[in-house]
Structures are given as C-alpha cells and as structure tokens.
Amino acid sequence: MNEAVKLHFLVDGEDFTSAGQASVQVKKSLRELGIAPEIIRKVSIAMYEGEINMVIHAGGGEADVLIYEDRIEIHLNDNGPGIANIDLAMQEGFSTAPDNIRSLGFGAGMGLPNMKRYSDSIQIDSALGKGTRILMVVQL
Amino acid sequence: MTVSEMAKELSLTAVSGADGERNVSGVYVGDLLSWVMGRAQSGNVWITIMSNINIVAVASLADVSCVVLAEGVVPDEGVCKTAEQKGVNIFTTEKTAYQIAKELADLSL
C-alpha cells in the first residue's frame, strides 16, 4: 500500500438522525482493510466526535480520511462560525451546544477532548466567521 | 458469556438481536453520549435510558457488545431497524440501571 487509500464524505448538517454515517462507513472500510480493532476504535471515536461537532455547530462540512502505510489522517473542514476560544473548548465539560441537542444526550463537553484523547495528534485551525479545519492523525 | 446468555439470565427483551453470539466483558452505565463514547470499553454491556437513533452509532463505534435500555424505555421502530442493519444488539427491561448493574455484577461481569 504505497499510495494512500482516500475516503471522502459530505457531512449533512440538516439531518441529525443520520449523523455518524461517515464514521460508521470509515469503520467498515478500515475493517475490510484488516486494520487492528483498537486502531479502528480510536479512529471511529475521534471521527464521530468531529462529525457530530460539524452537525451541531457548523451546519455540516466535509471529511477526508487518508490511510497510509504508517498512519491514518482524518481531515475535517467546515464553514461554520468557528471556535471562539480553542483552549476553553478543549476543556472537558465546556460546551456551547443548545438545549435541544443536550436533550439527545450530546453537549457534555467531551467532543474535542475525546478527539484529542483518541488521536495521536490533533491540529485545530479555526477563526470566527471563517470555519474550522481539523487534522487528526492516528499512527498505525 | 455471550450476549444471548446474559440476556436470558437477566430476562431482558430483545428489540434488536443482531449478534447474540458476541461475548460480553464489563459494564458501562451512562446517558451522555460523548461521555459513553470516550469511556465505555469494547465489549461492554452499555446500560442507558437514552433511546434516540444516535445510540446506534455510539454503540457501533464504541464497539460495545449490547445496549440495555432500563426503566421501561422503548426505542421507536426506526431505531430497532437501524440497529439490526448495523449489527447492534439492543434489549429493553423494566428494571432500573442499578438493578441491572447489580445482576450483572452477580454474574461476575
């Protein structure tokens, strides 16, 4: 596998009931590629949290997953409102999710912390009014 | 112990019996989905009262062995159908989360 395997997804920001579909598809693809279960779990959780964030906060976006010989890269891009204070957003328990989202069991302030915990590195590039770009890497 | 054996011991009702032969290991109790996602371990029995469609994705991605909906909570048909398709086991029971957890502990889980 010299060239990266590339997966591309449009994350629908309107349909909360189907949120997570891209992550479920990635899990399936990684399983088919014979990736170790613990790596699949890390990628699935990190990506799902990113996907849910794009649905809750940004009206959707795009996700690209690149599978290399030594690592998996998860690229998440949206044109949402951006993150005002990334340090604050990284704290467990901090959330700006609205009440209707909380009633579904989200908005615990664990999204970004889980993305950090389950990836080996995370870069967040965000500016108010300009959206958010995230790169997470999981080493194989 | 398999999911089916565990469900029989606790008299749980299957609303999605996708993979009863899966082994169960450990238990996690929680309703905040991201919390569960981050803390539940692969193979756990996940006890919750949250029954919306998003529990299917969380259960699948966190790789728990099954979901047990406590206190008489019943998911709608769409949730059951999706769970079957995604290979996620879901059970219902009138028992409280505490009662289920205690019975699972008595089974040495």
Side-chain angles (χ1 to χ4, degrees), chain A residues 16 21 51 57 64 75 82 92 108 120 128:
Chain A
F16 201 73
Q21 278 189 347
E51 198 182 341
H57 298 289
D64 291 279
H75 299 257
E92 289 191 5
D120 293 311
L128 284 180

Side-chain angles (χ1 to χ4, degrees), chain A residues 6-73:
Chain A
K6 296 177 185 173
L7 305 170
H8 178 73
F9 303 94
L10 288 175
V11 178
D12 185 349
E14 302 298 318
D15 187 4
F16 201 73
T17 60
S18 68
Q21 278 189 347
S23 305
V24 171
Q25 183 56 47
V26 167
K27 179 184 176 181
K28 191 166 169 252
S29 299
L30 294 179
R31 195 181 275 164
E32 285 166 4
L33 287 168
I35 304 288
E38 195 43 43
I39 298 288
I40 294 177
R41 199 172 116 81
K42 285 173 71 174
V43 171
S44 300
I45 293 173
M47 180 162 169
Y48 179 74
E49 294 288 11
E51 198 182 341
I52 288 291
N53 273 350
M54 284 201 285
V55 176
I56 294 175
H57 298 289
E62 294 189 33
D64 291 279
V65 177
L66 306 180
I67 305 153
Y68 294 93
E69 232 168 305
D70 61 340
R71 69 190 186 282
I72 297 171
E73 293 183 1

Side-chain angles (χ1 to χ4, degrees), chain A residues 16-17 19-20 23-24 27 41 44-45 48-49 52 92 103-106 108 110-111 114 117-118, chain B residues 31-35 37-42 50 52-55 57-63 86:
Chain A
F16 201 73
T17 60
S23 305
V24 171
K27 179 184 176 181
R41 199 172 116 81
S44 300
I45 293 173
Y48 179 74
E49 294 288 11
I52 288 291
E92 289 191 5
S103 69
L104 291 171
F106 293 104
M110 292 297 291
N114 275 349
R117 177 179 294 149
Y118 285 97
Chain B
D31 303 317
L32 293 174
L33 300 186
S34 290
W35 203 279
M37 185 72 109
R39 304 293 171 94
Q41 301 293 309
S42 179
M50 197 58 77
N52 66 67
I53 187 73
N54 303 103
I55 63 170
V58 170
S60 171
L61 296 169
D63 199 31
K86 304 286 183 198

